[in-house]
Structure formats: structure tokens, C-alpha cells
Amino acid sequence: MRQTLRTSRAAHRSRRGARRFTAGAALGVTTALMLAGCGLEYREDICSAGEYPATHVGSTGSACISDGEQPPKGYTRYPEGKVPQQVDDKWDVYWRTHVVDENGDIVDAPEGG
């Protein structure tokens, strides 16, 4: 009977160790993928579906406008090819230091945005 009990405990420890190994391996793989940037990166869209971004004339402010509508007074569409799509993408970062002025020209942003 003692032999059976020892075998049972050993088997239990073995299964528990296997579960710990599996959980640890899964955590290690997930961490490695995150560090490697293998498609697990989440990027937030600038606007929701059915909207487009517009910039505030003369400042770094922006707004999302419903598709099919014109930007309100004081706003304009971003220049073609320079429209930010996702937070921190190339154009989102660019427009933090540049603005469209009242003449439609791209200029450096005023101090304080």
C-alpha cells in the first residue's frame, strides 16, 4: 500500500511539474514575441470608421469629421499623402510640430502648439 501511495504522489508531482513547465513555456514564448514585436503591437486609429481626420488651421489641434461632411470653420483637411491614420504613426508625429496656416501652407507649429 505504501508503494502505491508513493507512486501516486510522484505521479501527482510529475503532472504538477509538467503544468508549471507548460505555463512557464507559454509565458516565455509570449514575452519573446512581445519583445520581438511579432505582430502583437496594438495601434490605435486616429478616427473611428466612417470618419476622417482634419487639422485645426494654425495650430496642432485636430478633429474627426464624418465621411461626406466638410470640416467646420477653422479646420481643413490634411494635405493629400500626409494624413495621420494611427496614433504615433509618421504623420501623427509630424503634425505635432507642423501646422497648416490660413494660406494652406505647411509651416512650423507656433510655440505651445
Side-chain angles (χ1 to χ4, degrees):
M1 179 95 128
R2 282 188 164 259
Q3 184 62 31
T4 306
L5 184 57
R6 284 187 191 151
T7 304
S8 177
R9 285 184 182 163
H12 177 71
R13 276 191 293 247
S14 177
R15 284 191 301 267
R16 187 175 62 209
R19 275 184 260 156
R20 285 184 183 164
F21 174 77
T22 302
L27 179 62
V29 169
T30 301
T31 302
L33 288 173
M34 289 173 60
L35 292 173
C38 293
L40 295 179
E41 184 178 337
Y42 171 77
R43 298 291 299 256
E44 183 178 356
D45 290 338
I46 295 289
C47 293
S48 299
E51 298 178 324
Y52 68 91
T55 185
H56 190 267
V57 175
S59 79
T60 57
S62 64
C64 292
I65 313 298
S66 293
D67 288 344
E69 291 185 16
Q70 292 298 315
K73 185 176 182 172
Y75 287 83
T76 188
R77 291 179 181 266
Y78 284 97
E80 189 173 333
K82 296 182 179 184
V83 181
Q85 299 297 316
Q86 296 176 320
V87 174
D88 294 332
D89 72 9
K90 172 183 172 180
W91 294 114
D92 183 40
V93 172
Y94 176 84
W95 290 111
R96 293 175 192 171
T97 57
H98 296 81
V99 300
V100 176
D101 70 9
E102 60 279 349
N103 299 318
D105 297 323
I106 298 172
V107 297
D108 289 338
E111 190 71 30

